[in-house]
Every structure is written in C-alpha cells, then in structure tokens.
Amino acid sequence: MKANTFKHRIKIYKKEQSKNEFNELDFTQELLFKEVYASCKNLSVESKNLDDGVSQIATHEFELRFLELDFSYFIVFRDRKYEILSIQDIDQNKQFLKIKARLQ
C-alpha cells in the first residue's frame, strides 16, 4: 500500500481574495485548507546569482491521498512555502496525487 510511505506532515493553504462593502477586491488571505501526510522527494535545486547574493530554487515532488486541488493552493512543508507547478492524478482513479512544487 502506497499510503504507508506518507511520513511527512504538510499543510495545504488556499489563496482567496476578499471583497469590501463596495464589492471591490480588497485583500488576499491565506486560509488553511487541510493538513495531511505525504511523501516528499527533492527533484532539483537551482542556484541563481542575484545582486545581493545567491538564491536557491528547490523543486520537490509530493505524493498524497487524492484531494480536489487547483493552482490557487500552495503547500507549507517544514515552515517553507511551495508554489504548485503541476498536479497529476496517479493512475487516474482519484486515489493518490503527485504534486510538483517550487520553493517560493
């Protein structure tokens, strides 16, 4: 069973824009959607030279039980925020997801 390899705890947040009393977009808030167990694999790390130093961009792959997600969500793993790059339904049977995410 694949679920017994899910040893890491991740939090999934959703970005939502709130409207004010004039029905105008006011601000973006980050709401906790779910906290789940997942497996995590480091895919790549790129180093970029910036004016104020070197920045590293890490890409990870997370596997978890199926959830209805889209690109308005993001992942927090070990107090670091990850932007979702791709979402794949493994075996197309709505049991497990494979998510590629980049460190923000």
Side-chain angles (χ1 to χ4, degrees):
M1 183 173 173
K2 183 177 263 208
N4 64 0
T5 63
F6 298 162
K7 299 180 189 314
H8 302 285
R9 196 86 169 138
I10 64 171
K11 293 179 182 177
I12 300 171
Y13 287 84
K14 182 169 179 68
K15 292 180 192 172
E16 288 189 356
Q17 289 197 323
S18 296
K19 294 183 178 181
N20 60 18
E21 64 270 9
F22 303 109
N23 209 21
E24 300 168 331
L25 294 178
D26 197 12
F27 64 93
T28 302
Q29 57 185 356
E30 299 172 348
L31 302 172
L32 178 63
F33 172 68
K34 203 152 194 136
E35 191 170 345
V36 297
Y37 283 100
S39 67
C40 178
K41 186 183 346 175
N42 191 4
L43 295 179
S44 66
V45 177
E46 294 178 35
S47 295
K48 288 191 175 183
N49 292 325
L50 302 174
D51 293 337
D52 57 345
V54 176
S55 175
Q56 290 189 338
I57 300 173
T59 305
H60 287 62
E61 181 178 86
F62 298 95
E63 286 189 27
L64 55 138
R65 289 188 184 272
F66 185 84
L67 294 169
E68 290 289 337
L69 299 177
D70 58 38
F71 296 103
S72 66
Y73 293 85
F74 63 91
I75 295 172
V76 174
F77 174 57
R78 295 185 178 160
D79 297 325
R80 299 173 99 185
K81 197 173 182 180
Y82 291 84
E83 171 191 10
I84 294 177
L85 302 174
S86 71
I87 303 170
Q88 178 186 357
D89 181 4
I90 301 173
D91 299 328
Q92 304 298 316
N93 58 5
K94 293 191 175 189
Q95 288 188 354
F96 299 100
L97 284 181
K98 186 181 288 187
I99 299 174
K100 289 185 183 170
R102 176 177 52 218
L103 187 61
Q104 289 184 329

